[in-house]
Amino acid sequence: MPNHKCDRQIWKIFSSLIVGFGLQALFSISALAETTDPETTANSAHSEDSVNEWYQLPAPTNNLPDNFDRNPARQSVGNPHNVDVTSPINATSEPPVPIASERATHISEASQTQPAEIPPLVEENKLENPPLVYPAENSLEQVTSVSQLSDVQPTDWAFQALQSLVEKYGCIAGYPDGTYRGNRALTRYEFAAGINACLDKIREYTAKQTENQVNRNDLIKMQKLQEEFAAEIATLRGQTDLLEARATELEANQFSTTTKLSGFTVFGIQGRTPNRADRAPRDGKRDTKDPGTNVNSINFTQLYLTTQFSPRSNLLIGFYNQNGSNSPQLTEDVNLAYNLGETPGFTISDLNYRFLVGDKLAVFAGTAGVNMITGFRGPNRAESAASGPLSAFAQRNPILNTGLGLGGIGIDWQFANRASLQAVYSTNIPGFFVSSNGSKGHNTLGVQLTLTPADPVDVTVYYVNDYSPDGNLISLAGDRQLTAINPSTNKSEPLETNAVGASLNWRISSRVSLGGWAGYTNSRIPGKSGTVATTNYMVFLNFPDLFNSGNLGGIYIGQPPKIVSSNLPTGNNVPDFLDTGLGRSGGQPGTTTHVEVFYRWQVNDNISVTPGLILIFQPGHTPDSDPISVGVLRTSFSF
């Protein structure tokens, strides 16, 4: 029998490639190929380097990037275009709430890329006679005093000559180890290079009219030496030009298509205290027992295949698998970042193509892994389900989880030194944009402005427009179902939603960061009167390198999304449906408070262990429900 599932996966890959290459051809207009802004500073909020890194989607490392996992199917389990709490934001990010992404490029330090590692000096016994390095401007081998040459002594017969050349003309250089090696044989090419270097210095002095520093007899002698070795000097210059030409050719043609494998695995052991809830109807009685309080384990694995087609484009394919779950649960408030639901095997989480248009604009499109979580830059450097907060709610503003889109298109535009703009359109229907399901799909458009008004401060402001076919915003925390389910049809009305929010991160010092977010949504049923509104907020403290380098402590306190007002028609108003069902308008009767404390111990570059405690007061925004305590021990392996 034909394998229809396999055929569909292959068609997804081909459709993503076709759309990606088509978009690249469309956008790759010479007029858009802007050059790098020379005024971009190293400490700018969203530098061009951030855009260049964003589309590359680096693989998770010891400190998984800011937005570690990018699977839209995951609640918080990273962006393409990555988690060291002190590293710059990355554009990019991580899928839903669980598992942060690799985008991680942080705003104000986004352009502070790490320099390439300098290789160790060649040991003496491995290279007896390394080539001489003659002085040039800013050369590290420049000798300003003969005393810098460890093997030259005042008793040496040539000491005075060396001292004169060093102090009068500054045209002597030693080996990297601080020696001169005056007794080794000298080739004619090396001698010619040395003479030429001294002559250039003398000409420089002459041009500056410092004739008192140049002895005319010395000049005549040097000119004669230059004439004698003119052939060698010309040959040396020709060889240098040839080497430069070959190096340029190699740099231009050295790229080849490569595919890299990266990923991580999270092992979590968690359990919550026994509790009872006041469920529908809410009458002040704790009549429902939480059925999922046993200690359980979860194993979540994420794999990424990143194929680079050119230095400015790549294809990202991601797969994830989960064994175990902390369900059943009475409330969304106990959701963990790495709990997406068990899967029978590996499931596609990312399938998208990314490329740069000029140096300031990145574009990505695909059939999976395209949403606000993967496309927006996040100011909180600790955002990661594998190495940051433990809960889904503490990853980011739940507004940014809205829709959890699969396919779509997004951009990241660095339009100023300290400002950038991201935009994403996505749908949760498998495939690219809307399929034959038509308007049944969940479609989301998000726009974010990212600013760094001062080096320690990163700010994001965002707007989201969403159409939900069943009234569920899929925000992964708090009140996400905003229209009641009709018992007779087992369906709920659709919603059109407008949402706004802002996030802030202030690095008070290298060891303390203060941040938070706030969000507001307003929704209505198309064609009917009434609206429903929600609010949410979070305040947090991160403590990078707490007790030791690479470790991280965190304290998070906030309110998950809460219906604060609803005057939807009778039968659709959620608070009224839970309380009386008499058609009364209003919001939830209580307010959930989320308190989370955790400490990540970085065992080595690839392994971290994070114990933590989550306290939930008035779960489900119900004042008569028992408080819940959740204990978690998370171990993460990255490669």
Side-chain angles (χ1 to χ4, degrees):
M1 294 179 65
N3 189 337
H4 296 293
K5 182 176 181 180
C6 180
D7 292 341
R8 286 196 297 271
Q9 303 286 37
I10 294 174
W11 170 245
K12 281 188 181 181
I13 295 175
F14 278 113
S15 63
S16 182
L17 283 171
I18 293 170
V19 172
F21 283 119
L23 286 169
Q24 184 169 14
L26 176 64
F27 283 107
S28 298
I29 303 174
S30 58
L32 293 178
E34 304 178 33
T35 58
T36 301
D37 183 354
E39 297 181 359
T40 299
T41 58
N43 61 357
S44 65
H46 284 299
S47 68
E48 296 164 11
D49 289 341
S50 297
V51 176
N52 287 307
E53 293 174 0
W54 173 87
Y55 89 96
Q56 291 179 350
L57 294 171
T61 56
N62 55 326
N63 291 326
L64 299 172
D66 299 340
N67 291 334
F68 183 38
D69 175 327
R70 293 153 300 191
N71 180 1
R74 303 189 274 286
Q75 355 171 331
S76 59
V77 186
N79 169 14
H81 235 4
N82 17 245
V83 165
D84 185 349
V85 296
T86 60
S87 67
I89 290 187
N90 154 45
T92 152
S93 230
E94 125 184 40
V97 189
I99 316 191
S101 140
E102 318 155 299
R103 221 155 23 61
T105 93
H106 267 300
I107 308 180
S108 64
E109 299 171 4
S111 63
Q112 296 179 359
T113 55
Q114 295 295 324
E117 182 179 354
I118 300 175
L121 294 176
V122 179
E123 296 179 6
E124 181 70 18
N125 61 352
K126 293 183 180 179
L127 184 60
E128 294 184 0
N129 297 314
L132 282 170
V133 180
Y134 287 96
E137 185 177 1
N138 299 324
S139 173
L140 294 178
E141 291 78 15
Q142 175 71 55
V143 176
T144 58
S145 172
V146 73
S147 62
Q148 294 176 244
L149 302 171
S150 60
D151 59 347
V152 175
Q153 306 298 327
T155 55
D156 291 338
W157 66 271
F159 181 82
Q160 293 296 331
L162 288 173
Q163 187 177 45
S164 177
L165 287 172
V166 169
E167 297 178 357
K168 291 178 64 176
Y169 304 118
C171 62
I172 289 296
Y175 290 96
D177 61 357
T179 61
Y180 185 67
R181 304 183 193 181
N183 292 325
R184 71 171 285 261
L186 185 71
T187 67
R188 288 174 64 85
Y189 286 130
E190 289 174 326
F191 182 70
I195 291 296
N196 190 60
C198 284
L199 186 61
D200 288 341
K201 286 289 184 180
I202 293 173
R203 285 175 174 170
E204 180 182 335
Y205 293 144
T206 303
K208 295 179 180 179
Q209 297 182 350
T210 55
E211 296 183 4
N212 57 318
Q213 298 181 20
V214 182
N215 184 295
R216 289 298 180 183
N217 291 329
D218 290 344
L219 182 59
I220 294 172
K221 292 178 181 179
M222 295 295 292
Q223 288 176 333
K224 288 182 178 179
L225 287 171
Q226 185 185 30
E227 292 173 0
E228 180 179 351
F229 289 94
E232 286 79 2
I233 292 174
T235 301
L236 184 63
R237 287 175 176 170
Q239 291 176 341
T240 302
D241 293 340
L242 180 60
L243 288 174
E244 290 180 352
R246 289 180 177 177
T248 301
E249 182 180 0
L250 286 173
E251 290 176 358
N253 298 284
Q254 67 179 349
F255 184 84
S256 61
T257 301
T258 58
T259 298
K260 294 183 179 180
L261 172 66
S262 61
F264 60 87
T265 293
V266 175
F267 293 99
I269 299 176
Q270 51 280 319
R272 54 185 182 267
T273 55
N275 65 94
R276 301 182 72 88
D278 179 13
R279 304 282 286 180
R282 285 192 291 206
D283 53 8
K285 299 178 182 179
R286 300 180 178 90
D287 49 20
T288 305
K289 180 181 178 180
D290 186 345
T293 58
N294 294 332
V295 175
N296 55 76
S297 63
I298 296 175
N299 171 216
F300 186 95
T301 300
Q302 174 76 59
L303 299 177
Y304 293 107
L305 291 171
T306 305
T307 301
Q308 194 127 11
F309 294 107
S310 75
R312 300 171 68 86
S313 65
N314 64 34
L315 174 69
L316 177 70
I317 303 176
F319 304 89
Y320 78 97
N321 170 258
Q322 179 176 325
N323 295 309
S325 172
N326 66 348
S327 296
Q329 57 196 52
L330 294 179
T331 172
E332 293 284 325
D333 300 326
V334 298
N335 272 347
L336 296 175
Y338 51 86
N339 178 44
L340 299 178
E342 292 191 81
T343 59
F346 275 95
T347 302
I348 290 182
S349 62
D350 299 84
L351 182 55
N352 48 77
Y353 181 70
R354 304 167 183 271
F355 59 93
L356 291 173
V357 179
D359 295 320
K360 299 180 181 180
L361 178 64
V363 178
F364 76 119
T367 59
V370 180
N371 50 53
M372 291 181 288
I373 297 171
T374 63
F376 285 3
R377 308 187 194 185
N380 183 10
R381 286 153 172 70
E383 180 182 334
S384 167
S387 60
L390 298 166
S391 69
F393 173 48
Q395 296 299 315
R396 67 189 68 81
N397 193 324
I399 287 176
L400 301 178
N401 299 330
T402 301
L404 290 182
L406 296 176
I409 184 171
I411 65 167
D412 189 349
W413 177 30
Q414 185 76 45
F415 65 88
N417 291 348
R418 291 177 175 267
S420 67
L421 183 71
Q422 295 85 48
V424 173
Y425 170 78
S426 61
T427 176
N428 65 357
I429 296 176
F432 193 80
F433 292 119
V434 180
S435 69
S436 58
N437 292 319
S439 61
K440 295 181 180 180
H442 199 137
N443 302 298
T444 308
L445 173 66
V447 180
Q448 175 176 273
L449 177 65
T450 306
L451 305 169
T452 297
D455 289 346
V457 179
D458 298 323
V459 181
T460 59
V461 181
Y462 30 88
Y463 164 78
V464 177
N465 180 275
D466 176 74
Y467 174 80
S468 169
D470 58 2
N472 193 328
L473 300 187
I474 321 182
S475 57
L476 306 176
D479 288 338
R480 63 175 185 171
Q481 182 67 52
L482 303 186
T483 56
I485 298 177
N486 188 323
S488 61
T489 63
N490 200 31
K491 294 181 180 180
S492 55
E493 295 289 341
L495 280 182
E496 292 180 354
T497 300
N498 290 284
V500 293
S503 300
L504 168 71
N505 188 69
W506 173 30
R507 292 179 304 286
I508 299 174
S509 70
S510 61
R511 297 297 181 93
V512 180
S513 291
L514 171 66
W517 66 70
Y520 170 81
T521 71
N522 187 280
S523 308
R524 68 180 185 88
I525 300 174
K528 294 187 178 182
S529 63
T531 61
V532 53
T534 73
T535 63
N536 82 87
Y537 74 85
M538 176 70 81
V539 177
F540 61 80
L541 279 169
N542 288 326
F543 302 95
D545 299 328
L546 184 62
F547 303 132
N548 199 8
S549 176
N551 297 342
L552 172 68
I555 301 175
Y556 287 63
I557 301 175
Q559 172 209 294
K562 170 189 174 181
I563 297 176
V564 293
S565 67
S566 177
N567 59 355
L568 296 177
T570 302
N572 296 302
N573 185 322
V574 171
D576 174 63
F577 179 84
L578 295 176
D579 293 335
T580 64
L582 299 178
R584 299 176 182 176
S585 62
Q588 297 284 37
T591 300
T592 302
T593 300
H594 176 109
V595 179
E596 181 172 344
V597 180
F598 66 90
Y599 179 72
R600 186 191 72 211
W601 173 38
Q602 198 69 41
V603 180
N604 56 38
D605 288 347
N606 304 100
I607 302 174
S608 67
V609 178
T610 309
L613 177 65
I614 303 170
L615 303 176
I616 302 168
F617 301 94
Q618 297 190 16
H621 303 296
T622 305
D624 294 312
S625 292
D626 288 334
I628 303 174
S629 299
V630 183
V632 181
L633 179 62
R634 177 188 65 196
T635 303
S636 301
F637 302 84
S638 64
F639 59 92

